[in-house]
Amino acid sequence: MATNRTFTMLKPDAIENGHIGKILDMINAAGFEIKAMKYTKLTTDQAQKFYEVHAERPFYGELVEYMTSGPIVAAILQKENAVADFRTLIGATDPADAAEGTIRKYYAESKGRNAVHGSDSDENAEIEGKFHFATNEIF
Ligand code: DAT
Ligand code: MG
């Protein structure tokens, strides 16, 4: 059953490049409501666990190092059809393939440093949201 919620992180490159405000504007303009939000930094353990599905991939070490290299903004977003619509808003993993008007097209540096995370299923949105937020931090 669709939860109408998704989970996002504005990644270290987006923060370093000063893009928090512009990305949040795009998220709001696309009709997403913020249900939880924090400015934080992942520990190596957290980043390894969050990206566990990619543990066997050649870029895993680089991914964990990058995701722990600086602060992130984590958030739970709500909208009808949130997971799919947010994936559309962020664009393809590699900004070179991302459609015009998407967050990654505007703000991602590369396939690895790609500005923003978006959950890929309702089930993962729920798991990822709970990974980052306690019940009393979700509204
Ligand atoms: P997405 O973030 O679009 O869901 P994914 O789940 O396949 O993409 O991969 C998770 C992250 O891992 C991705 O945002 C950036 C990094 N990544 C994926 N493929 C990569 C590659 N070939 N080289 C470097 N980093 C990669
Ligand atoms: Mg993914």
Side-chain angles (χ1 to χ4, degrees):
M1 196 184 72
T3 58
N4 293 326
R5 289 192 177 198
T6 192
F7 172 78
T8 188
M9 291 184 286
L10 311 194
K11 298 184 180 182
D13 65 296
I15 279 65
E16 269 172 50
N17 293 326
H19 292 149
I20 295 176
K22 284 174 285 190
I23 293 173
L24 291 181
D25 252 1
M26 286 181 74
I27 290 171
N28 280 145
F32 291 89
E33 268 180 73
I34 293 164
K35 292 289 159 182
M37 177 167 277
K38 65 172 71 161
Y39 189 52
T40 185
K41 188 172 169 191
L42 299 180
T43 64
T44 298
D45 274 2
Q46 285 176 313
Q48 283 173 340
K49 182 147 193 296
F50 189 86
Y51 284 111
E52 211 163 31
V53 298
H54 296 303
E56 302 307 320
R57 310 279 286 275
F59 57 83
Y60 181 66
E62 191 186 319
L63 174 61
V64 169
E65 198 172 316
Y66 158 62
M67 287 302 296
T68 56
S69 67
I72 61 154
V73 173
I76 295 173
L77 305 174
Q78 181 167 299
K79 182 187 178 296
E80 203 183 313
N81 202 33
V83 167
D85 285 1
F86 194 70
R87 294 294 304 201
T88 301
L89 179 66
I90 69 179
T93 306
D94 186 339
D97 303 327
E100 288 301 329
T102 60
I103 293 173
R104 282 170 167 167
K105 181 72 176 183
Y106 288 134
Y107 300 119
E109 290 182 7
S110 65
K111 191 169 189 177
R113 297 169 59 91
N114 62 2
V116 61
H117 168 82
S119 304
D120 61 8
S121 66
D122 287 323
E123 187 193 5
N124 284 335
E126 174 102 11
I127 292 168
E128 292 172 359
K130 284 188 176 151
F131 183 83
H132 287 273
F133 294 99
T135 310
N136 67 351
E137 296 176 311
I138 303 172
F139 301 96

